[in-house]
Amino acid sequence: MKLNNSAFLIVFVMLASVVMMGCSTTEVTSKVFSFTPKEEKELITKTSNYLTAENIRIDKDTAKIASFKSGSEWKIYDDRGKKTKDIKNVQTITIDFKGINPKNNKKKITVYLDETGEILGYL
């Protein structure tokens, strides 16, 4: 079977599209961090103190630690919540808390740290 130029071009474009979709940078990856109980406690204390300084009330006992690395734009608040920061391509540790607002309604508050444990911001 012989392909003419237009058929070859169509097949080439379709294959190129498939390859480009496979190489997309919009995926979220995860690196597994392993912390000792002491390290977990230190991270939770550090992040809960940070949120307290931001006047955000949380239930410290609800802390859950995870990690990820986003290949696409991921904006969080930094600099005391006054501006946003994109943490695209930053290996990130997250600590989720149930937040308590003055009306006692609960919602999730996430603090973002880099892999060295420095606080990047929250969302």
Side-chain angles (χ1 to χ4, degrees), residues 4 7 12 17 20 22-23 29 34 39-41 52 54 79 90 92-93 96 113 121-123:
N4 64 30
F12 177 76
S17 297
M20 288 172 59
C23 297
T29 61
S34 179
E39 291 170 326
E40 283 185 8
K41 184 177 180 181
T52 299
E54 298 294 311
D79 191 27
V90 176
T92 308
I93 301 165
D96 293 329
L113 303 97
Y122 67 94
L123 186 61

Side-chain angles (χ1 to χ4, degrees), residues 21-72:
M21 285 190 311
C23 297
S24 173
T25 61
T26 59
E27 66 184 46
V28 174
T29 61
S30 181
K31 178 177 178 182
V32 177
F33 288 102
S34 179
F35 301 106
T36 66
K38 181 181 177 189
E39 291 170 326
E40 283 185 8
K41 184 177 180 181
E42 289 171 356
L43 286 172
I44 291 167
T45 299
K46 181 178 188 174
T47 56
S48 65
N49 289 345
Y50 169 78
L51 291 173
T52 299
E54 298 294 311
N55 293 318
I56 299 171
R57 295 179 41 218
I58 50 102
D59 182 352
K60 190 174 175 178
D61 295 331
T62 64
K64 292 182 183 169
I65 299 175
S67 63
F68 77 100
K69 182 178 182 180
S70 176
S72 61

Side-chain angles (χ1 to χ4, degrees), residues 59-105:
D59 182 352
K60 190 174 175 178
D61 295 331
T62 64
K64 292 182 183 169
I65 299 175
S67 63
F68 77 100
K69 182 178 182 180
S70 176
S72 61
E73 180 178 83
W74 194 286
K75 291 201 175 187
I76 60 171
Y77 292 101
D78 69 348
D79 191 27
R80 304 241 179 247
K82 295 179 183 144
K83 61 183 178 176
T84 60
K85 177 179 187 173
D86 185 7
I87 58 170
K88 176 181 178 180
N89 295 323
V90 176
Q91 186 62 49
T92 308
I93 301 165
T94 62
I95 303 181
D96 293 329
F97 297 94
K98 284 188 178 175
I100 305 170
N101 71 22
K103 297 177 185 174
N104 281 336
N105 293 327

